Amino acid sequence: MTEQTHQAPCVLVTGGAGYIGSHTLVSLVEAGYRPLVLDNFSNSARQAIERVGVLCGETPECIEGDIRDRSCLDDIFQRHPVTAVIHFAGLKSVGESVREPLRYYDNNVAGSVTLLQAMQAAGVDTLVFSSSATVYAPGVTMPVAEDAPLGPINPYGQSKLMVEQVIRDHCLAHPTFRAALLRYFNPTGAHPSGKLGESPRGTPENLVPYIAQVATGVRDALTVFGNDYDTVDGTGVRDYIHVMDLAEGHVHALDALRERTGAHTWNLGTGTGYSVLEMVRAYEKACGREIAYTVGERRPGDVGTCYACTRKAASELHWQASRDLEEMMRDNWRWQVSQDA
Ligand code: NAD
Ligand code: WQD
């Protein structure tokens, strides 16, 4: 262990083996932090941590365990000088949350409460939480700002809003506690090395992983969910953000919390929306292959357009996304190809 890593502030990263978590580990190491991962590998594998090790020259310590396991958390806080927690651990499938709501409330809500209790007992007072643009009410004006009306329409989104509320209440009761509630828009892309990326299990629910599987021949064709929205070409518009921009946003959030207490909400998006067909064309350009698609029905619960107001994050986090759509698609494709290699 180098002297620098020894002195580096230790950040507990729950869910650090997952898609966004693993990319954030790279940004944390680059920024001089020492990440310590807690993951139960319910949607990831230890290999992701090893890949981070290859990229960073040092493999973050990784503990296999569950955020709902209080004794596991107490043990971690006792053994490691954790100064802050970045809390990614959670289940994230909207469809699954409709079928199995109790599993989502248990894992995402009860798990977060247990984590907060353990943090309080250990005197750790800094938390960055993975929330989602899905907490906004359907029909809000775009670009959507942090003070827009809230109203998630599925158990997954409800679980995110509930945890936000739990954290807000905890901050009110404990004035030294500080928390960043980061509302992600649509993360995509991969680390530019091609060594780290998203590995969805089963049939992807999200657009870009699905397109990627069409490009690699795993699936025959994309179904475009509706082409009769009031958008540029009738297909749904979203704010896609490069996962490395998102990862860097977490480092900025940690910095911002040094000079603030209480709960703070920040959108992490680019402020620009692209339609499904624009995404298909961008991916075709990156991979040099045609992406077959058919147009189907609208997906229940989808809105036509969603993109972020980025002003608050820019002024308070001193952060904004810098990677464009071409880079997102190119890095995603490099990751697909390197997995096949
Ligand atoms: P992911 O599934 O790749 O990562 C989540 C990680 O948490 C996985 O490694 C999983 O094994 C772990 N985990 C789940 N439950 C756990 C538990 N009880 N104890 C310990 N580990 C547990 O998902 P991701 O895309 O990296 O998302 C990270 C966070 O960001 C999630 O909370 C998700 O809800 C949120 N989010 C994701 C998106 C997105 O589109 N990817 C958008 C908005 C918010
Ligand atoms: C994007 C666009 C679809 C798949 C979801 C969650 C949200 C957040 C991010 C975690 C939409 C269209 C998609 C397909 C399609 N996750 N589409 N064919 O719906 O904005 O957000 O992921 O917090 O909670 O709801 O992202 O990638 O599913 O869809 O036409 O096979 O692509 O209709 O317009 P979404 P998405």
Side-chain angles (χ1 to χ4, degrees), residues 15 18-20 39-40 42-44 66-67 88-90 92 107 130-131 156 160 184 187:
Y19 172 45
I20 306 170
D39 204 301
N40 66 1
S42 58
N43 196 37
S44 56
D66 199 295
I67 53 164
F88 294 104
K92 63 166 179 175
N107 198 81
S130 298
S131 188
Y156 166 71
K160 288 291 164 188
Y184 311 154

mmCIF file with all atom_site columns, all heavy atoms in Angstrom, residues 15 18-20 39-40 42-44 66-67 88-90 92 107 130-131 156 160 184 187, ligand 1:
data_model
loop_
_atom_site.group_PDB
_atom_site.id
_atom_site.type_symbol
_atom_site.label_atom_id
_atom_site.label_alt_id
_atom_site.label_comp_id
_atom_site.label_asym_id
_atom_site.label_entity_id
_atom_site.label_seq_id
_atom_site.pdbx_PDB_ins_code
_atom_site.Cartn_x
_atom_site.Cartn_y
_atom_site.Cartn_z
_atom_site.occupancy
_atom_site.B_iso_or_equiv
_atom_site.pdbx_formal_charge
_atom_site.auth_seq_id
_atom_site.auth_comp_id
_atom_site.auth_asym_id
_atom_site.auth_atom_id
_atom_site.pdbx_PDB_model_num
ATOM   1   N N   . GLY A 1 15  ? -22.907 -1.313  -3.104  1.00 0.00 ? 15  GLY A N   1
ATOM   2   C CA  . GLY A 1 15  ? -23.256 -1.573  -4.506  1.00 0.00 ? 15  GLY A CA  1
ATOM   3   C C   . GLY A 1 15  ? -22.129 -1.187  -5.455  1.00 0.00 ? 15  GLY A C   1
ATOM   4   O O   . GLY A 1 15  ? -22.368 -0.942  -6.640  1.00 0.00 ? 15  GLY A O   1
ATOM   5   N N   . GLY A 1 18  ? -21.551 -2.806  -8.965  1.00 0.00 ? 18  GLY A N   1
ATOM   6   C CA  . GLY A 1 18  ? -22.544 -2.623  -10.025 1.00 0.00 ? 18  GLY A CA  1
ATOM   7   C C   . GLY A 1 18  ? -22.072 -1.664  -11.104 1.00 0.00 ? 18  GLY A C   1
ATOM   8   O O   . GLY A 1 18  ? -20.921 -1.194  -11.092 1.00 0.00 ? 18  GLY A O   1
ATOM   9   N N   . TYR A 1 19  ? -22.981 -1.390  -12.025 1.00 0.00 ? 19  TYR A N   1
ATOM   10  C CA  . TYR A 1 19  ? -22.634 -0.581  -13.203 1.00 0.00 ? 19  TYR A CA  1
ATOM   11  C C   . TYR A 1 19  ? -22.113 0.809   -12.811 1.00 0.00 ? 19  TYR A C   1
ATOM   12  O O   . TYR A 1 19  ? -20.961 1.162   -13.115 1.00 0.00 ? 19  TYR A O   1
ATOM   13  C CB  . TYR A 1 19  ? -23.880 -0.480  -14.086 1.00 0.00 ? 19  TYR A CB  1
ATOM   14  C CG  . TYR A 1 19  ? -23.788 0.459   -15.254 1.00 0.00 ? 19  TYR A CG  1
ATOM   15  C CD1 . TYR A 1 19  ? -22.663 0.485   -16.080 1.00 0.00 ? 19  TYR A CD1 1
ATOM   16  C CD2 . TYR A 1 19  ? -24.848 1.318   -15.558 1.00 0.00 ? 19  TYR A CD2 1
ATOM   17  C CE1 . TYR A 1 19  ? -22.593 1.353   -17.167 1.00 0.00 ? 19  TYR A CE1 1
ATOM   18  C CE2 . TYR A 1 19  ? -24.790 2.174   -16.647 1.00 0.00 ? 19  TYR A CE2 1
ATOM   19  C CZ  . TYR A 1 19  ? -23.666 2.193   -17.439 1.00 0.00 ? 19  TYR A CZ  1
ATOM   20  O OH  . TYR A 1 19  ? -23.603 3.045   -18.515 1.00 0.00 ? 19  TYR A OH  1
ATOM   21  N N   . ILE A 1 20  ? -22.931 1.591   -12.143 1.00 0.00 ? 20  ILE A N   1
ATOM   22  C CA  . ILE A 1 20  ? -22.509 2.966   -11.828 1.00 0.00 ? 20  ILE A CA  1
ATOM   23  C C   . ILE A 1 20  ? -21.447 2.955   -10.725 1.00 0.00 ? 20  ILE A C   1
ATOM   24  O O   . ILE A 1 20  ? -20.464 3.698   -10.766 1.00 0.00 ? 20  ILE A O   1
ATOM   25  C CB  . ILE A 1 20  ? -23.723 3.837   -11.425 1.00 0.00 ? 20  ILE A CB  1
ATOM   26  C CG1 . ILE A 1 20  ? -24.805 3.781   -12.518 1.00 0.00 ? 20  ILE A CG1 1
ATOM   27  C CG2 . ILE A 1 20  ? -23.301 5.276   -11.194 1.00 0.00 ? 20  ILE A CG2 1
ATOM   28  C CD1 . ILE A 1 20  ? -26.139 4.401   -12.121 1.00 0.00 ? 20  ILE A CD1 1
ATOM   29  N N   . ASP A 1 39  ? -20.923 -5.220  -1.261  1.00 0.00 ? 39  ASP A N   1
ATOM   30  C CA  . ASP A 1 39  ? -21.876 -5.641  -2.292  1.00 0.00 ? 39  ASP A CA  1
ATOM   31  C C   . ASP A 1 39  ? -22.273 -7.082  -2.019  1.00 0.00 ? 39  ASP A C   1
ATOM   32  O O   . ASP A 1 39  ? -21.444 -7.896  -1.604  1.00 0.00 ? 39  ASP A O   1
ATOM   33  C CB  . ASP A 1 39  ? -21.229 -5.520  -3.689  1.00 0.00 ? 39  ASP A CB  1
ATOM   34  C CG  . ASP A 1 39  ? -22.265 -5.366  -4.796  1.00 0.00 ? 39  ASP A CG  1
ATOM   35  O OD1 . ASP A 1 39  ? -23.113 -6.272  -4.933  1.00 0.00 ? 39  ASP A OD1 1
ATOM   36  O OD2 . ASP A 1 39  ? -22.228 -4.357  -5.513  1.00 0.00 ? 39  ASP A OD2 1
ATOM   37  N N   . ASN A 1 40  ? -23.544 -7.387  -2.270  1.00 0.00 ? 40  ASN A N   1
ATOM   38  C CA  . ASN A 1 40  ? -23.970 -8.788  -2.097  1.00 0.00 ? 40  ASN A CA  1
ATOM   39  C C   . ASN A 1 40  ? -23.977 -9.531  -3.438  1.00 0.00 ? 40  ASN A C   1
ATOM   40  O O   . ASN A 1 40  ? -24.386 -10.688 -3.492  1.00 0.00 ? 40  ASN A O   1
ATOM   41  C CB  . ASN A 1 40  ? -25.358 -8.871  -1.430  1.00 0.00 ? 40  ASN A CB  1
ATOM   42  C CG  . ASN A 1 40  ? -26.472 -8.309  -2.311  1.00 0.00 ? 40  ASN A CG  1
ATOM   43  O OD1 . ASN A 1 40  ? -26.240 -7.867  -3.427  1.00 0.00 ? 40  ASN A OD1 1
ATOM   44  N ND2 . ASN A 1 40  ? -27.691 -8.330  -1.792  1.00 0.00 ? 40  ASN A ND2 1
ATOM   45  N N   . SER A 1 42  ? -25.846 -9.427  -5.896  1.00 0.00 ? 42  SER A N   1
ATOM   46  C CA  . SER A 1 42  ? -27.148 -9.903  -6.404  1.00 0.00 ? 42  SER A CA  1
ATOM   47  C C   . SER A 1 42  ? -27.339 -9.499  -7.857  1.00 0.00 ? 42  SER A C   1
ATOM   48  O O   . SER A 1 42  ? -28.107 -10.113 -8.579  1.00 0.00 ? 42  SER A O   1
ATOM   49  C CB  . SER A 1 42  ? -28.295 -9.362  -5.540  1.00 0.00 ? 42  SER A CB  1
ATOM   50  O OG  . SER A 1 42  ? -28.267 -7.951  -5.509  1.00 0.00 ? 42  SER A OG  1
ATOM   51  N N   . ASN A 1 43  ? -26.628 -8.444  -8.285  1.00 0.00 ? 43  ASN A N   1
ATOM   52  C CA  . ASN A 1 43  ? -26.733 -8.042  -9.694  1.00 0.00 ? 43  ASN A CA  1
ATOM   53  C C   . ASN A 1 43  ? -25.363 -7.664  -10.261 1.00 0.00 ? 43  ASN A C   1
ATOM   54  O O   . ASN A 1 43  ? -25.257 -6.763  -11.095 1.00 0.00 ? 43  ASN A O   1
ATOM   55  C CB  . ASN A 1 43  ? -27.704 -6.852  -9.823  1.00 0.00 ? 43  ASN A CB  1
ATOM   56  C CG  . ASN A 1 43  ? -28.160 -6.653  -11.252 1.00 0.00 ? 43  ASN A CG  1
ATOM   57  O OD1 . ASN A 1 43  ? -28.362 -7.626  -11.987 1.00 0.00 ? 43  ASN A OD1 1
ATOM   58  N ND2 . ASN A 1 43  ? -28.298 -5.403  -11.688 1.00 0.00 ? 43  ASN A ND2 1
ATOM   59  N N   . SER A 1 44  ? -24.333 -8.335  -9.789  1.00 0.00 ? 44  SER A N   1
ATOM   60  C CA  . SER A 1 44  ? -22.980 -7.981  -10.237 1.00 0.00 ? 44  SER A CA  1
ATOM   61  C C   . SER A 1 44  ? -22.037 -9.124  -9.886  1.00 0.00 ? 44  SER A C   1
ATOM   62  O O   . SER A 1 44  ? -22.462 -10.137 -9.337  1.00 0.00 ? 44  SER A O   1
ATOM   63  C CB  . SER A 1 44  ? -22.516 -6.701  -9.532  1.00 0.00 ? 44  SER A CB  1
ATOM   64  O OG  . SER A 1 44  ? -22.590 -6.885  -8.129  1.00 0.00 ? 44  SER A OG  1
ATOM   65  N N   . ASP A 1 66  ? -24.486 -7.664  2.877   1.00 0.00 ? 66  ASP A N   1
ATOM   66  C CA  . ASP A 1 66  ? -25.772 -7.060  2.522   1.00 0.00 ? 66  ASP A CA  1
ATOM   67  C C   . ASP A 1 66  ? -26.007 -5.818  3.383   1.00 0.00 ? 66  ASP A C   1
ATOM   68  O O   . ASP A 1 66  ? -25.727 -5.834  4.594   1.00 0.00 ? 66  ASP A O   1
ATOM   69  C CB  . ASP A 1 66  ? -26.884 -8.098  2.776   1.00 0.00 ? 66  ASP A CB  1
ATOM   70  C CG  . ASP A 1 66  ? -28.155 -7.761  2.045   1.00 0.00 ? 66  ASP A CG  1
ATOM   71  O OD1 . ASP A 1 66  ? -28.767 -6.713  2.366   1.00 0.00 ? 66  ASP A OD1 1
ATOM   72  O OD2 . ASP A 1 66  ? -28.547 -8.515  1.153   1.00 0.00 ? 66  ASP A OD2 1
ATOM   73  N N   . ILE A 1 67  ? -26.547 -4.778  2.763   1.00 0.00 ? 67  ILE A N   1
ATOM   74  C CA  . ILE A 1 67  ? -26.812 -3.546  3.537   1.00 0.00 ? 67  ILE A CA  1
ATOM   75  C C   . ILE A 1 67  ? -27.893 -3.764  4.596   1.00 0.00 ? 67  ILE A C   1
ATOM   76  O O   . ILE A 1 67  ? -28.040 -2.961  5.507   1.00 0.00 ? 67  ILE A O   1
ATOM   77  C CB  . ILE A 1 67  ? -27.216 -2.353  2.623   1.00 0.00 ? 67  ILE A CB  1
ATOM   78  C CG1 . ILE A 1 67  ? -28.393 -2.726  1.705   1.00 0.00 ? 67  ILE A CG1 1
ATOM   79  C CG2 . ILE A 1 67  ? -26.031 -1.831  1.832   1.00 0.00 ? 67  ILE A CG2 1
ATOM   80  C CD1 . ILE A 1 67  ? -29.074 -1.531  1.068   1.00 0.00 ? 67  ILE A CD1 1
ATOM   81  N N   . PHE A 1 88  ? -25.039 3.090   -3.480  1.00 0.00 ? 88  PHE A N   1
ATOM   82  C CA  . PHE A 1 88  ? -25.618 2.643   -4.751  1.00 0.00 ? 88  PHE A CA  1
ATOM   83  C C   . PHE A 1 88  ? -26.484 1.399   -4.577  1.00 0.00 ? 88  PHE A C   1
ATOM   84  O O   . PHE A 1 88  ? -27.293 1.089   -5.461  1.00 0.00 ? 88  PHE A O   1
ATOM   85  C CB  . PHE A 1 88  ? -24.506 2.251   -5.746  1.00 0.00 ? 88  PHE A CB  1
ATOM   86  C CG  . PHE A 1 88  ? -23.636 3.372   -6.216  1.00 0.00 ? 88  PHE A CG  1
ATOM   87  C CD1 . PHE A 1 88  ? -22.345 3.530   -5.721  1.00 0.00 ? 88  PHE A CD1 1
ATOM   88  C CD2 . PHE A 1 88  ? -24.094 4.264   -7.166  1.00 0.00 ? 88  PHE A CD2 1
ATOM   89  C CE1 . PHE A 1 88  ? -21.536 4.556   -6.168  1.00 0.00 ? 88  PHE A CE1 1
ATOM   90  C CE2 . PHE A 1 88  ? -23.288 5.292   -7.626  1.00 0.00 ? 88  PHE A CE2 1
ATOM   91  C CZ  . PHE A 1 88  ? -22.004 5.435   -7.119  1.00 0.00 ? 88  PHE A CZ  1
ATOM   92  N N   . ALA A 1 89  ? -26.241 0.621   -3.512  1.00 0.00 ? 89  ALA A N   1
ATOM   93  C CA  . ALA A 1 89  ? -26.863 -0.705  -3.419  1.00 0.00 ? 89  ALA A CA  1
ATOM   94  C C   . ALA A 1 89  ? -28.378 -0.596  -3.485  1.00 0.00 ? 89  ALA A C   1
ATOM   95  O O   . ALA A 1 89  ? -28.999 0.131   -2.716  1.00 0.00 ? 89  ALA A O   1
ATOM   96  C CB  . ALA A 1 89  ? -26.440 -1.387  -2.117  1.00 0.00 ? 89  ALA A CB  1
ATOM   97  N N   . GLY A 1 90  ? -28.948 -1.319  -4.424  1.00 0.00 ? 90  GLY A N   1
ATOM   98  C CA  . GLY A 1 90  ? -30.396 -1.315  -4.570  1.00 0.00 ? 90  GLY A CA  1
ATOM   99  C C   . GLY A 1 90  ? -30.806 -2.135  -5.766  1.00 0.00 ? 90  GLY A C   1
ATOM   100 O O   . GLY A 1 90  ? -29.977 -2.457  -6.621  1.00 0.00 ? 90  GLY A O   1
ATOM   101 N N   . LYS A 1 92  ? -33.133 -2.285  -9.198  1.00 0.00 ? 92  LYS A N   1
ATOM   102 C CA  . LYS A 1 92  ? -33.448 -1.155  -10.088 1.00 0.00 ? 92  LYS A CA  1
ATOM   103 C C   . LYS A 1 92  ? -34.378 -1.479  -11.250 1.00 0.00 ? 92  LYS A C   1
ATOM   104 O O   . LYS A 1 92  ? -34.531 -0.655  -12.157 1.00 0.00 ? 92  LYS A O   1
ATOM   105 C CB  . LYS A 1 92  ? -32.154 -0.563  -10.632 1.00 0.00 ? 92  LYS A CB  1
ATOM   106 C CG  . LYS A 1 92  ? -31.359 -1.530  -11.493 1.00 0.00 ? 92  LYS A CG  1
ATOM   107 C CD  . LYS A 1 92  ? -30.278 -0.833  -12.289 1.00 0.00 ? 92  LYS A CD  1
ATOM   108 C CE  . LYS A 1 92  ? -29.485 -1.811  -13.119 1.00 0.00 ? 92  LYS A CE  1
ATOM   109 N NZ  . LYS A 1 92  ? -28.513 -1.199  -13.991 1.00 0.00 ? 92  LYS A NZ  1
ATOM   110 N N   . ASN A 1 107 ? -35.417 -4.346  0.220   1.00 0.00 ? 107 ASN A N   1
ATOM   111 C CA  . ASN A 1 107 ? -34.015 -4.137  -0.157  1.00 0.00 ? 107 ASN A CA  1
ATOM   112 C C   . ASN A 1 107 ? -33.659 -2.645  -0.173  1.00 0.00 ? 107 ASN A C   1
ATOM   113 O O   . ASN A 1 107 ? -32.676 -2.219  0.430   1.00 0.00 ? 107 ASN A O   1
ATOM   114 C CB  . ASN A 1 107 ? -33.772 -4.733  -1.546  1.00 0.00 ? 107 ASN A CB  1
ATOM   115 C CG  . ASN A 1 107 ? -32.303 -4.952  -1.821  1.00 0.00 ? 107 ASN A CG  1
ATOM   116 O OD1 . ASN A 1 107 ? -31.721 -5.933  -1.400  1.00 0.00 ? 107 ASN A OD1 1
ATOM   117 N ND2 . ASN A 1 107 ? -31.693 -4.003  -2.507  1.00 0.00 ? 107 ASN A ND2 1
ATOM   118 N N   . SER A 1 130 ? -28.018 7.360   -4.344  1.00 0.00 ? 130 SER A N   1
ATOM   119 C CA  . SER A 1 130 ? -28.439 7.208   -5.740  1.00 0.00 ? 130 SER A CA  1
ATOM   120 C C   . SER A 1 130 ? -29.945 7.306   -5.837  1.00 0.00 ? 130 SER A C   1
ATOM   121 O O   . SER A 1 130 ? -30.652 6.324   -5.635  1.00 0.00 ? 130 SER A O   1
ATOM   122 C CB  . SER A 1 130 ? -28.073 5.804   -6.248  1.00 0.00 ? 130 SER A CB  1
ATOM   123 O OG  . SER A 1 130 ? -26.718 5.579   -6.221  1.00 0.00 ? 130 SER A OG  1
ATOM   124 N N   . SER A 1 131 ? -30.441 8.496   -6.168  1.00 0.00 ? 131 SER A N   1
ATOM   125 C CA  . SER A 1 131 ? -31.861 8.596   -6.450  1.00 0.00 ? 131 SER A CA  1
ATOM   126 C C   . SER A 1 131 ? -32.038 8.604   -7.967  1.00 0.00 ? 131 SER A C   1
ATOM   127 O O   . SER A 1 131 ? -31.103 8.254   -8.705  1.00 0.00 ? 131 SER A O   1
ATOM   128 C CB  . SER A 1 131 ? -32.465 9.833   -5.782  1.00 0.00 ? 131 SER A CB  1
ATOM   129 O OG  . SER A 1 131 ? -33.878 9.803   -5.916  1.00 0.00 ? 131 SER A OG  1
ATOM   130 N N   . TYR A 1 156 ? -40.551 0.820   -7.653  1.00 0.00 ? 156 TYR A N   1
ATOM   131 C CA  . TYR A 1 156 ? -39.131 1.185   -7.682  1.00 0.00 ? 156 TYR A CA  1
ATOM   132 C C   . TYR A 1 156 ? -38.969 2.684   -7.405  1.00 0.00 ? 156 TYR A C   1
ATOM   133 O O   . TYR A 1 156 ? -38.194 3.091   -6.532  1.00 0.00 ? 156 TYR A O   1
ATOM   134 C CB  . TYR A 1 156 ? -38.496 0.820   -9.034  1.00 0.00 ? 156 TYR A CB  1
ATOM   135 C CG  . TYR A 1 156 ? -37.155 1.477   -9.220  1.00 0.00 ? 156 TYR A CG  1
ATOM   136 C CD1 . TYR A 1 156 ? -36.053 1.058   -8.485  1.00 0.00 ? 156 TYR A CD1 1
ATOM   137 C CD2 . TYR A 1 156 ? -36.991 2.568   -10.085 1.00 0.00 ? 156 TYR A CD2 1
ATOM   138 C CE1 . TYR A 1 156 ? -34.822 1.691   -8.622  1.00 0.00 ? 156 TYR A CE1 1
ATOM   139 C CE2 . TYR A 1 156 ? -35.781 3.204   -10.224 1.00 0.00 ? 156 TYR A CE2 1
ATOM   140 C CZ  . TYR A 1 156 ? -34.690 2.760   -9.494  1.00 0.00 ? 156 TYR A CZ  1
ATOM   141 O OH  . TYR A 1 156 ? -33.486 3.399   -9.619  1.00 0.00 ? 156 TYR A OH  1
ATOM   142 N N   . LYS A 1 160 ? -37.338 4.914   -4.111  1.00 0.00 ? 160 LYS A N   1
ATOM   143 C CA  . LYS A 1 160 ? -36.313 5.973   -4.162  1.00 0.00 ? 160 LYS A CA  1
ATOM   144 C C   . LYS A 1 160 ? -36.799 7.219   -3.426  1.00 0.00 ? 160 LYS A C   1
ATOM   145 O O   . LYS A 1 160 ? -36.060 7.841   -2.670  1.00 0.00 ? 160 LYS A O   1
ATOM   146 C CB  . LYS A 1 160 ? -35.993 6.309   -5.621  1.00 0.00 ? 160 LYS A CB  1
ATOM   147 C CG  . LYS A 1 160 ? -35.202 5.235   -6.339  1.00 0.00 ? 160 LYS A CG  1
ATOM   148 C CD  . LYS A 1 160 ? -33.785 5.156   -5.794  1.00 0.00 ? 160 LYS A CD  1
ATOM   149 C CE  . LYS A 1 160 ? -33.077 3.894   -6.188  1.00 0.00 ? 160 LYS A CE  1
ATOM   150 N NZ  . LYS A 1 160 ? -31.782 3.698   -5.534  1.00 0.00 ? 160 LYS A NZ  1
ATOM   151 N N   . TYR A 1 184 ? -30.335 10.694  -10.879 1.00 0.00 ? 184 TYR A N   1
ATOM   152 C CA  . TYR A 1 184 ? -29.715 10.387  -12.165 1.00 0.00 ? 184 TYR A CA  1
ATOM   153 C C   . TYR A 1 184 ? -30.780 10.398  -13.255 1.00 0.00 ? 184 TYR A C   1
ATOM   154 O O   . TYR A 1 184 ? -31.889 9.909   -13.048 1.00 0.00 ? 184 TYR A O   1
ATOM   155 C CB  . TYR A 1 184 ? -29.095 8.988   -12.187 1.00 0.00 ? 184 TYR A CB  1
ATOM   156 C CG  . TYR A 1 184 ? -28.208 8.615   -11.041 1.00 0.00 ? 184 TYR A CG  1
ATOM   157 C CD1 . TYR A 1 184 ? -28.061 7.267   -10.692 1.00 0.00 ? 184 TYR A CD1 1
ATOM   158 C CD2 . TYR A 1 184 ? -27.486 9.552   -10.310 1.00 0.00 ? 184 TYR A CD2 1
ATOM   159 C CE1 . TYR A 1 184 ? -27.237 6.875   -9.659  1.00 0.00 ? 184 TYR A CE1 1
ATOM   160 C CE2 . TYR A 1 184 ? -26.662 9.166   -9.263  1.00 0.00 ? 184 TYR A CE2 1
ATOM   161 C CZ  . TYR A 1 184 ? -26.549 7.826   -8.937  1.00 0.00 ? 184 TYR A CZ  1
ATOM   162 O OH  . TYR A 1 184 ? -25.742 7.419   -7.912  1.00 0.00 ? 184 TYR A OH  1
ATOM   163 N N   . PRO A 1 187 ? -28.228 6.922   -17.345 1.00 0.00 ? 187 PRO A N   1
ATOM   164 C CA  . PRO A 1 187 ? -26.801 6.613   -17.485 1.00 0.00 ? 187 PRO A CA  1
ATOM   165 C C   . PRO A 1 187 ? -26.551 5.630   -18.627 1.00 0.00 ? 187 PRO A C   1
ATOM   166 O O   . PRO A 1 187 ? -27.298 4.656   -18.796 1.00 0.00 ? 187 PRO A O   1
ATOM   167 C CB  . PRO A 1 187 ? -26.433 5.963   -16.152 1.00 0.00 ? 187 PRO A CB  1
ATOM   168 C CG  . PRO A 1 187 ? -27.642 5.962   -15.305 1.00 0.00 ? 187 PRO A CG  1
ATOM   169 C CD  . PRO A 1 187 ? -28.795 6.408   -16.097 1.00 0.00 ? 187 PRO A CD  1
HETATM 170 P P1  . NAD B 2 .   ? -26.550 -2.237  -10.491 1.00 0.00 ? 1   NAD B P1  1
HETATM 171 O O1  . NAD B 2 .   ? -27.603 -3.259  -10.275 1.00 0.00 ? 1   NAD B O1  1
HETATM 172 O O2  . NAD B 2 .   ? -25.547 -2.459  -11.575 1.00 0.00 ? 1   NAD B O2  1
HETATM 173 O O3  . NAD B 2 .   ? -25.764 -1.975  -9.139  1.00 0.00 ? 1   NAD B O3  1
HETATM 174 C C1  . NAD B 2 .   ? -26.365 -2.101  -7.871  1.00 0.00 ? 1   NAD B C1  1
HETATM 175 C C2  . NAD B 2 .   ? -25.428 -2.925  -7.019  1.00 0.00 ? 1   NAD B C2  1
HETATM 176 O O4  . NAD B 2 .   ? -25.995 -3.065  -5.709  1.00 0.00 ? 1   NAD B O4  1
HETATM 177 C C3  . NAD B 2 .   ? -25.208 -4.341  -7.557  1.00 0.00 ? 1   NAD B C3  1
HETATM 178 O O5  . NAD B 2 .   ? -23.836 -4.608  -7.573  1.00 0.00 ? 1   NAD B O5  1
HETATM 179 C C4  . NAD B 2 .   ? -25.948 -5.249  -6.555  1.00 0.00 ? 1   NAD B C4  1
HETATM 180 O O6  . NAD B 2 .   ? -25.339 -6.503  -6.456  1.00 0.00 ? 1   NAD B O6  1
HETATM 181 C C5  . NAD B 2 .   ? -25.837 -4.414  -5.291  1.00 0.00 ? 1   NAD B C5  1
HETATM 182 N N1  . NAD B 2 .   ? -26.883 -4.652  -4.287  1.00 0.00 ? 1   NAD B N1  1
HETATM 183 C C6  . NAD B 2 .   ? -28.223 -4.675  -4.478  1.00 0.00 ? 1   NAD B C6  1
HETATM 184 N N2  . NAD B 2 .   ? -28.846 -4.895  -3.309  1.00 0.00 ? 1   NAD B N2  1
HETATM 185 C C7  . NAD B 2 .   ? -27.898 -4.997  -2.354  1.00 0.00 ? 1   NAD B C7  1
HETATM 186 C C8  . NAD B 2 .   ? -27.914 -5.224  -0.962  1.00 0.00 ? 1   NAD B C8  1
HETATM 187 N N3  . NAD B 2 .   ? -29.064 -5.411  -0.302  1.00 0.00 ? 1   NAD B N3  1
HETATM 188 N N4  . NAD B 2 .   ? -26.742 -5.257  -0.292  1.00 0.00 ? 1   NAD B N4  1
HETATM 189 C C9  . NAD B 2 .   ? -25.578 -5.090  -0.946  1.00 0.00 ? 1   NAD B C9  1
HETATM 190 N N5  . NAD B 2 .   ? -25.495 -4.895  -2.270  1.00 0.00 ? 1   NAD B N5  1
HETATM 191 C C10 . NAD B 2 .   ? -26.637 -4.841  -2.972  1.00 0.00 ? 1   NAD B C10 1
HETATM 192 O O7  . NAD B 2 .   ? -27.293 -0.841  -10.715 1.00 0.00 ? 1   NAD B O7  1
HETATM 193 P P2  . NAD B 2 .   ? -26.708 0.559   -11.200 1.00 0.00 ? 1   NAD B P2  1
HETATM 194 O O8  . NAD B 2 .   ? -27.255 0.842   -12.537 1.00 0.00 ? 1   NAD B O8  1
HETATM 195 O O9  . NAD B 2 .   ? -25.248 0.617   -10.963 1.00 0.00 ? 1   NAD B O9  1
HETATM 196 O O10 . NAD B 2 .   ? -27.466 1.512   -10.188 1.00 0.00 ? 1   NAD B O10 1
HETATM 197 C C11 . NAD B 2 .   ? -26.879 1.928   -8.965  1.00 0.00 ? 1   NAD B C11 1
HETATM 198 C C12 . NAD B 2 .   ? -27.893 2.726   -8.180  1.00 0.00 ? 1   NAD B C12 1
HETATM 199 O O11 . NAD B 2 .   ? -28.342 3.825   -8.973  1.00 0.00 ? 1   NAD B O11 1
HETATM 200 C C13 . NAD B 2 .   ? -29.146 1.933   -7.817  1.00 0.00 ? 1   NAD B C13 1
HETATM 201 O O12 . NAD B 2 .   ? -29.550 2.301   -6.530  1.00 0.00 ? 1   NAD B O12 1
HETATM 202 C C14 . NAD B 2 .   ? -30.162 2.391   -8.847  1.00 0.00 ? 1   NAD B C14 1
HETATM 203 O O13 . NAD B 2 .   ? -31.470 2.299   -8.372  1.00 0.00 ? 1   NAD B O13 1
HETATM 204 C C15 . NAD B 2 .   ? -29.745 3.836   -9.063  1.00 0.00 ? 1   NAD B C15 1
HETATM 205 N N6  . NAD B 2 .   ? -30.129 4.349   -10.397 1.00 0.00 ? 1   NAD B N6  1
HETATM 206 C C16 . NAD B 2 .   ? -29.768 3.680   -11.523 1.00 0.00 ? 1   NAD B C16 1
HETATM 207 C C17 . NAD B 2 .   ? -30.148 4.166   -12.773 1.00 0.00 ? 1   NAD B C17 1
HETATM 208 C C18 . NAD B 2 .   ? -29.817 3.422   -14.029 1.00 0.00 ? 1   NAD B C18 1
HETATM 209 O O14 . NAD B 2 .   ? -30.475 3.666   -15.060 1.00 0.00 ? 1   NAD B O14 1
HETATM 210 N N7  . NAD B 2 .   ? -28.822 2.545   -14.052 1.00 0.00 ? 1   NAD B N7  1
HETATM 211 C C19 . NAD B 2 .   ? -30.867 5.366   -12.854 1.00 0.00 ? 1   NAD B C19 1
HETATM 212 C C20 . NAD B 2 .   ? -31.196 6.036   -11.674 1.00 0.00 ? 1   NAD B C20 1
HETATM 213 C C21 . NAD B 2 .   ? -30.815 5.518   -10.444 1.00 0.00 ? 1   NAD B C21 1
#
